Amino acid sequence: MLDHIDATEPLLIGVYYIQLIFIFICGVGFLFGIFMFIYAFKNPHKRRLAYVLTVFMPLGLLLVIHGPVVILYYVFKQPATPDAELGLRLFVPTLEIAGANIYEGIVRVTQPLLVTVFIIGVVVLHHASRIPGRKRIGYGIFLGVPLLWCLMKVGPDIIKILTS
């Protein structure tokens, strides 16, 4: 009864969604590492954490993106093609719609927070006339929030390009 079911298509769908999750985690970890360099000052533990995050998160991103491709290239004899009789592709649009709704919810919550953090960064930068640590934090927030805003707007397109 189960002899005609091919497990490669659900496996590839699972790999796709694992890639979506880990691309986000590696990207946020890399940005967190960059901001930790600004925040670390002379603390060796924070600087080490920042170094580890800024080095290993891009490597993890490359591994998550290209690892399954390399594994699938060397494990399977031919590329996986969807089977119209099984109908497993019906689950993908439903998951994509749910993911898009979740992303829109996150965007609606995050936008006011980013504006508030940007205003706080401008205030910190304005009041940090002779304190270098506060200046670094103010500049980090002042430059990092617009970068995060742009990544939030372009994020779905980047993920589609990376995982296609």
Side-chain angles (χ1 to χ4, degrees), residues 37-52:
F37 269 126
I38 295 170
Y39 178 72
F41 304 124
K42 294 181 181 180
N43 188 339
H45 299 293
K46 290 180 183 176
R47 287 183 94 54
R48 188 177 307 125
L49 175 66
Y51 177 75
V52 166

Side-chain angles (χ1 to χ4, degrees), residues 38 75-76 81 84 96 98 100 103 122 131 153:
I38 295 170
V75 170
F76 295 110
T81 57
E96 286 178 358
Y103 179 76
V122 170
I131 304 171
K153 291 296 184 182

Side-chain angles (χ1 to χ4, degrees), residues 33-115:
I34 289 176
F35 288 126
M36 281 296 291
F37 269 126
I38 295 170
Y39 178 72
F41 304 124
K42 294 181 181 180
N43 188 339
H45 299 293
K46 290 180 183 176
R47 287 183 94 54
R48 188 177 307 125
L49 175 66
Y51 177 75
V52 166
L53 287 174
T54 55
V55 169
F56 287 117
M57 286 298 166
L59 293 175
L61 182 72
L62 290 174
L63 180 70
V64 165
I65 293 170
H66 297 293
V69 175
V70 171
I71 290 171
L72 290 175
Y73 180 76
Y74 287 111
V75 170
F76 295 110
K77 303 270 188 248
Q78 61 186 1
T81 57
D83 190 359
E85 295 176 8
L86 296 177
L88 292 174
R89 289 282 178 183
L90 295 175
F91 293 107
V92 177
T94 307
L95 290 174
E96 286 178 358
I97 290 170
N101 290 339
I102 291 171
Y103 179 76
E104 283 299 318
I106 291 172
V107 166
R108 289 182 187 265
V109 170
T110 307
Q111 283 177 344
L113 291 175
L114 283 177
V115 170

